[in-house]
Amino acid sequence: MNIWKISIRNFRFKPLYTLLGILILSVSIALLVGIQQLDKSFKQQLDNNLGDIDMVVGAKGSPLQLVLASVLHVDNPTGNISFKEAKSLIKNPMIEKGVPISYGDNYKGYRIVGTTQDFPKLYNADLYEGRYVQKSMEVVLGSTVAEAIGLQVGDSFQSSHGLAETGGHDHDEPLTIVGIYKPTHKVMDRLIITGLETVWDAHHHADESVVDGHVTNSEREITSMLVSFRNPMALLTIPRSINENTNMQAALPKFELERLYQFTGVGVKTITWIAYAILIISCITIFISLYRMVRDRAFDLALMRSYGANRLQLVKMVAYEGFLIASMAFVIGVLLSQIGVYFILEMITDQYKQRMPLLLGPIELLQTAGLVALMVLSSICLAIYPILKMNISKILSYEK
Amino acid sequence: MVRTENLTFQYTNEDTVFKFPDISLGDNQNLLVLGKSGIGKTTLLHLLAGLLSPMDGVIEIEDEPIHNLSSKQLDRFRGQHIGLIFQNNHAVQSLNVVENLETRLFFAQRKISNTMITDLLEDLDIAECKRKKTRELSEGQRQRLGIAMAIVHKPKVILADEPTSSLDDDNCNKVIQLLIAQAKANNANLIVITHDQRIKPLFTHKLEL
């Protein structure tokens, strides 16, 4: 027999009561861990999607719209810009590279992006099978797209005009799938990548009267140019000079998204506060249950004092029980949060056609564990106080 | 050996000062302390057990002046040398009979011997309740468990507070006989505090408060 064994017997003495305490605490831990994790996943996802893109150059309009359209691929583009003009911009030595993208079509709601070989490099994307685009009318699928539409390398399909799934008319010339990318957990997963020529040729055939067979470099247009800087100093000068001196606009995705996040982040913050409130409530619950336990067992504890147990031994006994409850609640809480977060991310994947990575940061976990430990410790200390002040003689004289 | 001298006690926030007659018990001597309720019987018992500290006076158990011990030393002394028996509650609820006895030995810092525990339970005729929790025991079994708890660690002094008041004549007699026999077997002093006149004839040394 030792203190630990007595604690465990006490722990098991009223199982329903103990279980209830564990449950309440674990739910609040689950909420806390889950929210932190979702928040982190969401933020990381936004950062991830930026890849190496420091700046986007596109047609004048809303900078947020430009970023949403060209970087996150969720909004409509602001318009088109001249390929030639855009190319001249990136000759600046402070610019490392510029990747042109050109929109036009979709297949079953997945956007077809005409671009160069540099685009997948922005996201460190590798081929899962097949090869890269070599000529017009060839496409490589992002991993989510490949999974969703169920087509293989070698298959072809007809794209629909425009970015929306319905409403556009089908193009005549089919696109051939030559490759599939590995999952990047970034926005690229839900794109269909092709060469710039594919987009130009498709619209050339669709709108022959305008182009009339004389497509030259100077007439070619792109939706936007994704730019990465060589030198962070460029952030200060280049966007301003583009916005002031050309009929194009430059937007900084990091800045725009942070601005957006500041507004949408309010929700996350509120939920985090609610989780903290629940944590405090469950700590009060632990305190009350430990306090009641000490009260209920006052006679048993006094009896143990009469057996020769000293104060420290009784304090240990109650503290062990508290920590047993807290650590079980923590394990269950983390498990619950993982199940919850998994389902939420599944839902997000369904909705946004993009997979998010499951992130459980050890630092966040440690922080939560520390916080829970601190709260439990203080409630245990409060509950233990009556043991120290206990008048054994009095308790033993008033037998139940 | 138990000896007290000029023992007085006062509860905080109360005016009454308890003055107790001197006690002097040699080896194997038993004592019955009689008195009406409220006269300070339990107070005396708790003083002897080191659960209360006297205002003034001397308490010596086996030549150890326990009125001088610190709270921690008292816990230790009580654990090793004193066995307490209460009227109704006899053991920790969350533990079964054997675990209770093991706990008693653990706090007394004595070696835990299963054969010794089994022998004791057989002596007291509760060996079949080994794995039962206290609430599953009958009143008589509980009282015997209380005796087991008070003697398992071979104390020098057994202190019993109203051990018979909730028992019928038959059981009352049995319990007191058992206590006297166990005290003798363990070479311990037995001090019984009661207002139960039925057990008076069984003691040679008596103290009326």
Side-chain angles (χ1 to χ4, degrees), chain B residues 156-175:
Chain B
K156 297 280 168 35
V157 181
I158 301 167
L159 302 171
D161 191 358
E162 305 276 11
T164 54
S165 50
S166 60
L167 300 176
D168 57 40
D169 293 354
D170 199 26
N171 273 313
C172 163
N173 212 32
K174 267 189 200 160
V175 164

Side-chain angles (χ1 to χ4, degrees), chain A residues 1-3 5-6 9-10 12-14 296-297 299-300 302-314 317 391-394 396-397 399-400, chain B residues 11 42 46 51-52 71-72 75-76 78-79 82 84 86-95 99-100 102-104 106-108 112 133 135 149 161:
Chain A
M1 191 49 67
N2 56 42
I3 303 287
K5 276 192 193 163
I6 300 171
R9 292 292 181 284
N10 285 341
R12 297 199 325 211
F13 183 51
K14 284 180 179 164
D296 286 351
R297 299 213 194 112
F299 193 85
D300 279 357
L303 210 55
M304 284 192 247
R305 284 296 301 278
S306 85
Y307 297 164
N310 56 45
R311 286 194 180 93
L312 186 67
Q313 284 173 314
L314 297 193
M317 199 181 295
N391 186 339
I392 332 162
S393 166
K394 204 168 174 182
L396 291 176
S397 323
E399 291 188 55
K400 283 177 276 182
Chain B
Y11 284 104
T42 300
H46 287 180
L51 295 171
L52 291 174
S71 148
K72 208 173 171 183
D75 288 333
R76 200 186 152 96
R78 186 188 316 124
I82 289 172
L84 273 161
F86 304 98
Q87 186 180 343
N88 290 320
N89 287 275
H90 314 291
V92 179
Q93 293 175 60
S94 57
L95 305 174
E99 286 166 348
N100 258 298
E102 284 174 357
T103 302
R104 184 65 187 88
F106 168 75
F107 286 125
I112 293 166
K133 295 257 166 73
R135 59 173 173 208
M149 293 296 283
D161 191 358

Side-chain angles (χ1 to χ4, degrees), chain B residues 14-208:
Chain B
E14 273 178 45
D15 294 333
T16 338
V17 176
F18 293 99
K19 284 198 172 80
F20 299 103
D22 293 351
I23 296 170
S24 180
L25 289 179
D27 286 342
N28 287 327
Q29 283 186 327
N30 300 336
L31 176 71
L32 184 68
V33 179
L34 284 151
K36 293 194 291 276
S37 33
I39 203 125
K41 295 192 305 285
T42 300
T43 306
L44 176 63
L45 191 92
H46 287 180
L47 283 167
L48 292 172
L51 295 171
L52 291 174
S53 297
M55 190 166 82
D56 201 13
V58 174
I59 308 169
E60 277 181 10
I61 289 171
E62 297 295 306
D63 295 328
E64 175 81 50
I66 68 163
H67 58 278
N68 283 336
L69 296 180
S70 71
S71 148
K72 208 173 171 183
Q73 285 170 319
L74 258 179
D75 288 333
R76 200 186 152 96
F77 185 87
R78 186 188 316 124
Q80 292 184 332
H81 302 301
I82 289 172
L84 273 161
I85 296 172
F86 304 98
Q87 186 180 343
N88 290 320
N89 287 275
H90 314 291
V92 179
Q93 293 175 60
S94 57
L95 305 174
N96 67 31
V97 169
V98 171
E99 286 166 348
N100 258 298
L101 292 167
E102 284 174 357
T103 302
R104 184 65 187 88
L105 288 171
F106 168 75
F107 286 125
Q109 297 169 333
R110 295 275 152 86
K111 227 185 85 191
I112 293 166
S113 148
N114 284 325
T115 37
M116 195 263 277
I117 288 174
T118 311
D119 287 350
L120 178 64
L121 292 176
E122 269 165 14
D123 271 2
L124 294 171
D125 205 21
I126 44 170
E128 75 277 11
C129 311
K130 267 176 134 173
R131 301 283 159 213
K132 281 188 183 167
K133 295 257 166 73
T134 53
R135 59 173 173 208
E136 296 161 341
L137 301 176
S138 72
E139 185 60 42
Q141 286 170 331
R142 238 177 279 175
Q143 192 71 33
R144 272 172 283 169
L145 172 60
I147 295 172
M149 293 296 283
I151 61 175
V152 66
H153 57 296
K154 314 239 177 289
K156 297 280 168 35
V157 181
I158 301 167
L159 302 171
D161 191 358
E162 305 276 11
T164 54
S165 50
S166 60
L167 300 176
D168 57 40
D169 293 354
D170 199 26
N171 273 313
C172 163
N173 212 32
K174 267 189 200 160
V175 164
I176 289 299
Q177 298 285 7
L178 197 59
L179 269 175
I180 292 171
Q182 289 292 341
K184 198 173 175 188
N186 284 297
N187 241 337
N189 294 112
L190 171 68
I191 297 178
V192 176
I193 279 177
T194 193
H195 66 268
D196 189 348
Q197 301 290 334
R198 294 175 295 183
I199 58 177
K200 227 171 157 179
L202 295 162
F203 287 80
T204 37
H205 295 77
K206 289 176 206 99
L207 184 70
E208 198 91 33

Side-chain angles (χ1 to χ4, degrees), chain A residues 198-217:
Chain A
T198 309
V199 179
W200 290 330
D201 288 352
H203 292 104
H204 165 203
H205 290 295
D207 244 345
E208 253 164 319
S209 60
V210 176
V211 183
D212 204 20
H214 290 95
V215 179
T216 60
N217 265 351

